Amino acid sequence: MGLPILWLAFAAMVSGSNGLAAAMLPTALRETTMLMLSVGFMTGVLGLVAAWLVTHFEFAGRRLFDWALILPLAVPTYLAAYTYVEFLGFTGPPQQLVRLLFGGETLRDYWFPDIRSDWGASLVFSMVLYPYVYASCRAFFLMQSASLDLAARTLGASRARTFFSVTLPISRPAIVVGVTLAMMEVVNDLGAVQYFGVNSLTAIIYSTWINRADFGGAAQLAVTIVLVIALLILLERAARRDRVYQSHRDSRVPPGRERLRGGWAAMASLYCTLLFALGFGVPFGQLAYLALRRVAPENVAMTLNALWPTLVLATAGALATVAVGLVAARQSRGPAVSRGAIKLATLGYAIPGTVLALGLLQPLGQVDLWTNRATTALFDWRPGLIVSGSMLALVYVYAIRFLAVSHSTLDEAMRKRGDNMLLAGRVLGARGLGLLLRIDLPTLTPALLSAATLVFVEIVKELPATLLLRPLGVDTLATVVYSHANVSLFVNAALPALFIVLAGLVPVILATRFGSARKL
């Protein structure tokens, strides 16, 4: 993980950039900050209220909403942007209804808000990222004793006063965690911000490198993103430092929920329905509609051509990342130096894929240069771009980007398993490879499969790094969707986009099934 960041820092310091990147930096920082703050506020409010409703009250559809409100996580932000523009565009259902009710043939005959704007970007991001706050607050509330809320209600506080005086203050750590994750996703995004015309840091980095071939300027902007991410992490940790907010409940006692009646019950159901519809219903429904409407042989062929490289890259990346994550999890119990190195290595998940890909372009190209010089001197043969121009570069960046996913899953499994089985194996004579194959890996099989599945799906959805490092002539599902959307032909790419969402549903469904199996 250190190689791309250190290389970018060095390139930024010695850069002879023409100054255009520096001139764009204030605009990029302003627009990125505004987008982060607006999305952070909206996701915080939407996710907190949803989690409060499903954990504190009984109303029609609560059991369904309890897990369904997490489903928007299966929709990548760039797909949400494309589908919302199609849905709210001139040919979309809302504008068709407006023309039917009020007449008009063109946009000059009536007014309709333009979704491709800053407010549209904030809305779309918030609709698909609120589950970060929802999931974090829901887990917190389920672990939290209801005694504080009950005490407040017993003393005469209304629902609203209990929420603002008790629930909101004690849920601050969960809100901070969820909002921070949502903000990191905003910084990482490339496809959606470009589509909405937002001059975010990531979009300007991509434009500076691809359109202007200014690596030094792009490196300076990339270092700025790393500093922004580091600031977010520090603020998140500072918000939770040395503070205790919860009193754990008895896990054998189900959480108490107050039954809502009449208008309050209807409002709670309506709120959750709208949240689910806007976060998952609109993107998934629009994709399904467009995919079925354009089931043409050429679209099917395009999807199948992109599906094979996607599967190969996702499988190779998942295997490599899980292997490195297994080693990292085993070293997490080592000396303090090892534990500190592992913590730094797993920070790759917080770094945007655009930054990591940019930081690997030159060093991997340098490796290719040295390799070609050596093979030319020894064998009079030039193999070409065997690293930077191959899938190896993508597997490398995937392993850096998603190491935290595999490491956290395997580390938790190792802690639950304990060391008794391994110690017993050593007593019975198992050593080295035999201990690994006969005891260690079999006892970690569920965690290994879970980590591989999560990383596999993350790679299928990943766009920025794949866009920068993919070999010539190789297209994944994500890059096919991106290339068609950028030339206003997203309708033709609806089928591969639907495949991406269906793949994203896998870990979400597994997580909800696992959570429901552990009844709280």
Side-chain angles (χ1 to χ4, degrees), residues 172-226:
R172 195 177 91 177
I175 298 173
V176 169
V177 169
V179 168
T180 302
L181 290 173
M183 287 182 170
M184 287 182 180
E185 286 293 327
V186 171
V187 176
N188 177 64
D189 180 81
L190 175 63
V193 291
Q194 282 188 329
Y195 205 58
F196 283 121
V198 179
N199 291 316
S200 71
L201 282 167
T202 309
I204 292 181
I205 286 175
Y206 184 81
S207 175
T208 302
W209 168 238
I210 297 299
N211 298 335
R212 302 186 181 93
D214 184 3
F215 182 84
Q220 293 172 353
L221 292 170
V223 170
T224 304
I225 280 192
V226 174

Coordinates of all heavy atoms in Angstrom, one line a residue, residues 172-226:
R172 N -24.2 9.3 18.8 CA -23.2 10.1 18.0 C -22.1 9.3 17.5 O -21.7 9.4 16.3 CB -22.7 11.2 18.9 CG -21.9 12.2 18.1 CD -21.4 13.4 19.0 NE -20.0 13.1 19.5 CZ -19.3 13.9 20.2 NH1 -19.9 15.1 20.6 NH2 -18.1 13.7 20.6
P173 N -21.5 8.3 18.2 CA -20.4 7.5 17.6 C -20.9 6.7 16.4 O -20.1 6.7 15.4 CB -20.0 6.5 18.7 CG -20.5 7.2 20.0 CD -21.8 7.9 19.6
A174 N -22.1 6.1 16.4 CA -22.5 5.4 15.2 C -22.8 6.3 14.1 O -22.5 6.0 12.9 CB -23.8 4.6 15.6
I175 N -23.3 7.5 14.3 CA -23.6 8.5 13.2 C -22.2 8.9 12.6 O -22.1 9.0 11.4 CB -24.3 9.7 13.8 CG1 -25.7 9.3 14.3 CG2 -24.5 10.7 12.7 CD1 -26.4 10.4 15.0
V176 N -21.3 9.2 13.4 CA -20.0 9.6 12.9 C -19.3 8.6 12.1 O -18.8 8.9 11.0 CB -19.0 10.0 14.1 CG1 -17.6 10.2 13.6 CG2 -19.5 11.2 14.8
V177 N -19.4 7.3 12.5 CA -18.8 6.2 11.7 C -19.5 6.1 10.3 O -18.8 6.1 9.3 CB -18.9 4.9 12.4 CG1 -18.6 3.7 11.5 CG2 -18.0 4.9 13.6
G178 N -20.8 6.1 10.3 CA -21.6 6.0 9.1 C -21.4 7.2 8.1 O -21.2 7.0 6.9
V179 N -21.4 8.4 8.7 CA -21.2 9.6 7.9 C -19.8 9.6 7.3 O -19.6 10.0 6.1 CB -21.5 10.9 8.7 CG1 -21.0 12.1 8.0 CG2 -23.0 11.0 9.0
T180 N -18.8 9.2 8.1 CA -17.4 9.2 7.6 C -17.3 8.3 6.4 O -16.6 8.6 5.4 CB -16.5 8.8 8.7 OG1 -16.6 9.7 9.8 CG2 -15.0 8.8 8.2
L181 N -17.9 7.1 6.5 CA -17.8 6.1 5.4 C -18.5 6.7 4.2 O -18.0 6.5 3.0 CB -18.5 4.8 5.8 CG -17.7 4.0 6.8 CD1 -18.6 2.8 7.3 CD2 -16.4 3.5 6.2
A182 N -19.7 7.3 4.3 CA -20.4 7.9 3.2 C -19.5 9.0 2.6 O -19.4 9.1 1.3 CB -21.7 8.5 3.7
M183 N -18.8 9.9 3.4 CA -18.0 10.9 2.8 C -16.8 10.3 2.0 O -16.4 10.9 1.0 CB -17.5 11.8 3.9 CG -18.5 12.7 4.5 SD -17.8 13.8 5.8 CE -19.2 15.0 6.1
M184 N -16.3 9.2 2.6 CA -15.1 8.6 1.8 C -15.6 8.1 0.5 O -14.9 8.1 -0.5 CB -14.6 7.5 2.7 CG -13.8 7.9 3.9 SD -13.1 6.5 4.8 CE -12.2 7.4 6.1
E185 N -16.8 7.6 0.4 CA -17.3 7.1 -0.9 C -17.5 8.3 -1.8 O -17.3 8.1 -3.0 CB -18.7 6.4 -0.7 CG -18.6 5.0 -0.1 CD -17.9 4.0 -1.0 OE1 -18.1 4.2 -2.2 OE2 -17.2 3.2 -0.5
V186 N -17.9 9.4 -1.3 CA -18.0 10.6 -2.2 C -16.7 11.0 -2.7 O -16.5 11.3 -3.9 CB -18.6 11.8 -1.4 CG1 -18.5 13.1 -2.1 CG2 -20.0 11.5 -1.0
V187 N -15.6 11.0 -1.9 CA -14.3 11.3 -2.4 C -13.8 10.3 -3.4 O -13.1 10.6 -4.4 CB -13.3 11.4 -1.2 CG1 -11.9 11.7 -1.7 CG2 -13.7 12.5 -0.2
N188 N -14.1 9.0 -3.2 CA -13.7 8.0 -4.1 C -14.4 8.0 -5.4 O -13.8 7.5 -6.4 CB -13.9 6.6 -3.4 CG -13.5 5.5 -4.3 OD1 -12.3 5.3 -4.7 ND2 -14.4 4.6 -4.7
D189 N -15.6 8.5 -5.5 CA -16.4 8.4 -6.7 C -15.7 9.1 -7.9 O -15.2 10.2 -7.7 CB -17.8 8.9 -6.5 CG -18.6 8.7 -7.7 OD1 -19.2 7.6 -8.0 OD2 -18.8 9.7 -8.5
L190 N -15.9 8.6 -9.1 CA -15.4 9.2 -10.3 C -16.6 9.3 -11.3 O -16.9 10.4 -11.8 CB -14.3 8.4 -11.0 CG -13.8 8.9 -12.3 CD1 -13.3 10.4 -12.2 CD2 -12.7 8.0 -12.9
G191 N -17.3 8.2 -11.6 CA -18.3 8.2 -12.6 C -19.4 9.2 -12.4 O -19.9 10.0 -13.3
A192 N -20.0 9.2 -11.1 CA -21.1 10.0 -10.8 C -20.8 11.5 -10.9 O -21.5 12.3 -11.4 CB -21.7 9.7 -9.5
V193 N -19.7 11.9 -10.3 CA -19.3 13.3 -10.2 C -19.1 13.9 -11.6 O -19.4 15.0 -12.0 CB -18.1 13.6 -9.3 CG1 -18.5 13.4 -7.8 CG2 -16.9 12.7 -9.7
Q194 N -18.4 13.0 -12.5 CA -18.2 13.5 -13.9 C -19.6 13.6 -14.6 O -19.8 14.6 -15.3 CB -17.4 12.5 -14.6 CG -15.9 12.6 -14.3 CD -15.1 11.7 -15.2 OE1 -15.5 10.6 -15.7 NE2 -13.9 12.1 -15.5
Y195 N -20.5 12.7 -14.3 CA -21.8 12.8 -15.0 C -22.6 13.9 -14.6 O -23.3 14.5 -15.4 CB -22.5 11.5 -14.7 CG -23.5 11.1 -15.7 CD1 -23.2 10.9 -17.1 CD2 -24.9 10.9 -15.4 CE1 -24.1 10.5 -18.0 CE2 -25.8 10.5 -16.3 CZ -25.4 10.3 -17.7 OH -26.4 10.0 -18.6
F196 N -22.5 14.3 -13.3 CA -23.2 15.5 -12.8 C -22.5 16.8 -13.0 O -23.0 17.9 -12.7 CB -23.5 15.3 -11.3 CG -24.6 14.3 -11.0 CD1 -24.4 13.2 -10.2 CD2 -25.9 14.5 -11.5 CE1 -25.4 12.3 -9.9 CE2 -26.9 13.6 -11.2 CZ -26.7 12.5 -10.4
G197 N -21.3 16.8 -13.5 CA -20.5 18.0 -13.8 C -20.0 18.6 -12.5 O -19.7 19.8 -12.5
V198 N -19.7 17.8 -11.5 CA -19.1 18.3 -10.3 C -17.6 18.3 -10.4 O -17.0 17.2 -10.7 CB -19.6 17.5 -9.1 CG1 -18.9 18.1 -7.8 CG2 -21.1 17.6 -8.9
N199 N -16.9 19.4 -10.2 CA -15.4 19.4 -10.3 C -14.8 18.9 -9.0 O -14.2 19.7 -8.3 CB -15.0 20.8 -10.6 CG -15.3 21.3 -12.0 OD1 -15.2 20.5 -13.0 ND2 -15.9 22.5 -12.2
S200 N -15.0 17.7 -8.7 CA -14.4 17.1 -7.4 C -12.9 16.8 -7.6 O -12.4 16.9 -8.8 CB -15.2 15.8 -7.1 OG -14.8 14.8 -8.0
L201 N -12.3 16.6 -6.6 CA -10.8 16.3 -6.6 C -10.6 15.1 -7.5 O -9.6 15.1 -8.4 CB -10.3 16.0 -5.2 CG -10.0 17.3 -4.4 CD1 -9.8 16.9 -2.9 CD2 -8.8 18.0 -4.9
T202 N -11.4 14.0 -7.4 CA -11.1 12.8 -8.2 C -11.3 13.1 -9.7 O -10.6 12.6 -10.5 CB -12.1 11.7 -7.7 OG1 -12.0 11.6 -6.3 CG2 -11.7 10.4 -8.4
A203 N -12.4 13.8 -10.0 CA -12.7 14.1 -11.4 C -11.5 14.9 -12.0 O -11.1 14.7 -13.2 CB -14.0 14.8 -11.5
I204 N -11.0 15.9 -11.3 CA -10.0 16.8 -11.8 C -8.6 16.0 -11.9 O -7.9 16.2 -12.8 CB -9.8 18.0 -10.9 CG1 -11.1 18.9 -11.1 CG2 -8.6 18.8 -11.3 CD1 -11.0 20.2 -10.3
I205 N -8.4 15.1 -11.0 CA -7.2 14.2 -11.1 C -7.2 13.4 -12.4 O -6.3 13.4 -13.2 CB -7.1 13.3 -9.9 CG1 -6.7 14.0 -8.7 CG2 -6.1 12.1 -10.2 CD1 -6.6 13.2 -7.4
Y206 N -8.4 12.8 -12.7 CA -8.6 12.0 -13.9 C -8.4 12.9 -15.1 O -7.7 12.5 -16.1 CB -9.9 11.4 -13.9 CG -10.2 10.4 -15.0 CD1 -9.7 9.1 -15.0 CD2 -10.9 10.9 -16.2 CE1 -9.9 8.3 -16.1 CE2 -11.1 10.0 -17.2 CZ -10.6 8.8 -17.2 OH -10.8 7.9 -18.3
S207 N -9.0 14.1 -15.1 CA -8.9 15.0 -16.3 C -7.4 15.5 -16.5 O -6.9 15.6 -17.6 CB -9.8 16.1 -16.1 OG -9.7 17.1 -17.1
T208 N -6.8 15.8 -15.3 CA -5.4 16.3 -15.4 C -4.5 15.3 -16.0 O -3.6 15.6 -16.8 CB -4.9 16.7 -14.0 OG1 -5.8 17.7 -13.5 CG2 -3.5 17.3 -14.1
W209 N -4.6 14.0 -15.6 CA -3.7 13.0 -16.1 C -4.1 12.5 -17.5 O -3.3 12.5 -18.4 CB -3.7 11.8 -15.2 CG -3.1 10.6 -15.7 CD1 -3.6 9.3 -15.9 CD2 -1.7 10.4 -16.2 NE1 -2.7 8.5 -16.4 CE2 -1.5 9.1 -16.6 CE3 -0.7 11.4 -16.3 CZ2 -0.3 8.7 -17.2 CZ3 0.5 10.9 -16.9 CH2 0.7 9.6 -17.3
I210 N -5.4 12.2 -17.8 CA -5.8 11.6 -19.0 C -5.9 12.7 -20.1 O -5.4 12.5 -21.3 CB -7.2 10.9 -18.9 CG1 -7.1 9.7 -17.9 CG2 -7.7 10.4 -20.2 CD1 -6.1 8.7 -18.3
N211 N -6.5 13.8 -19.9 CA -6.7 14.8 -20.9 C -5.6 15.7 -21.1 O -5.3 16.2 -22.2 CB -8.0 15.6 -20.6 CG -9.3 14.8 -20.5 OD1 -9.3 13.7 -21.1 ND2 -10.2 15.2 -19.8
R212 N -4.8 16.0 -20.1 CA -3.7 17.0 -20.2 C -2.3 16.3 -20.0 O -1.3 17.0 -20.2 CB -3.8 18.1 -19.1 CG -5.1 18.8 -19.2 CD -5.2 20.0 -18.2 NE -6.4 20.7 -18.3 CZ -7.5 20.5 -17.6 NH1 -7.4 19.5 -16.6 NH2 -8.6 21.1 -17.7
A213 N -2.3 15.0 -19.7 CA -1.0 14.3 -19.6 C -0.1 14.9 -18.6 O 1.2 14.9 -18.8 CB -0.3 14.1 -20.9
D214 N -0.6 15.5 -17.6 CA 0.2 16.2 -16.5 C 0.2 15.4 -15.3 O -0.6 15.5 -14.4 CB -0.5 17.6 -16.2 CG 0.3 18.4 -15.2 OD1 1.4 18.0 -14.8 OD2 -0.1 19.5 -14.9
F215 N 1.2 14.5 -15.3 CA 1.3 13.5 -14.1 C 1.7 14.3 -12.8 O 1.1 14.0 -11.8 CB 2.3 12.5 -14.4 CG 2.5 11.4 -13.3 CD1 1.6 10.3 -13.3 CD2 3.4 11.6 -12.3 CE1 1.7 9.4 -12.3 CE2 3.5 10.6 -11.3 CZ 2.6 9.5 -11.3
G216 N 2.6 15.2 -12.9 CA 3.0 16.0 -11.7 C 1.8 16.7 -11.1 O 1.6 16.7 -9.9
G217 N 1.0 17.4 -11.9 CA -0.2 18.1 -11.4 C -1.2 17.1 -10.8 O -1.8 17.4 -9.7
A218 N -1.4 16.0 -11.5 CA -2.3 15.0 -10.9 C -1.8 14.4 -9.6 O -2.6 14.1 -8.7 CB -2.5 13.8 -11.9
A219 N -0.5 14.2 -9.5 CA 0.1 13.7 -8.2 C -0.1 14.7 -7.1 O -0.4 14.3 -6.0 CB 1.6 13.5 -8.4
Q220 N 0.0 16.0 -7.4 CA -0.2 17.0 -6.3 C -1.7 17.0 -5.9 O -2.0 17.0 -4.7 CB 0.1 18.4 -6.9 CG 1.6 18.6 -7.2 CD 1.9 19.9 -7.9 OE1 0.9 20.6 -8.3 NE2 3.1 20.2 -8.1
L221 N -2.6 16.8 -6.8 CA -4.0 16.7 -6.4 C -4.3 15.4 -5.6 O -5.1 15.4 -4.7 CB -4.9 16.8 -7.7 CG -4.9 18.1 -8.4 CD1 -5.6 18.0 -9.7 CD2 -5.6 19.2 -7.5
A222 N -3.6 14.3 -6.1 CA -3.8 13.1 -5.4 C -3.3 13.1 -3.9 O -4.0 12.6 -3.0 CB -3.1 11.9 -6.1
V223 N -2.2 13.8 -3.7 CA -1.7 13.9 -2.3 C -2.7 14.7 -1.5 O -2.9 14.5 -0.3 CB -0.3 14.6 -2.4 CG1 0.1 15.0 -0.9 CG2 0.7 13.7 -3.0
T224 N -3.3 15.7 -2.1 CA -4.4 16.5 -1.4 C -5.5 15.6 -1.0 O -6.0 15.7 0.1 CB -4.9 17.6 -2.4 OG1 -3.8 18.4 -2.8 CG2 -5.9 18.5 -1.6
I225 N -5.9 14.7 -1.9 CA -7.0 13.7 -1.5 C -6.6 12.9 -0.3 O -7.4 12.6 0.6 CB -7.4 12.8 -2.7 CG1 -8.3 13.6 -3.6 CG2 -8.1 11.6 -2.3 CD1 -8.9 12.7 -4.7
V226 N -5.3 12.4 -0.3 CA -4.9 11.6 0.8 C -4.9 12.4 2.1 O -5.3 11.8 3.1 CB -3.4 11.1 0.5 CG1 -2.8 10.3 1.7 CG2 -3.4 10.2 -0.7

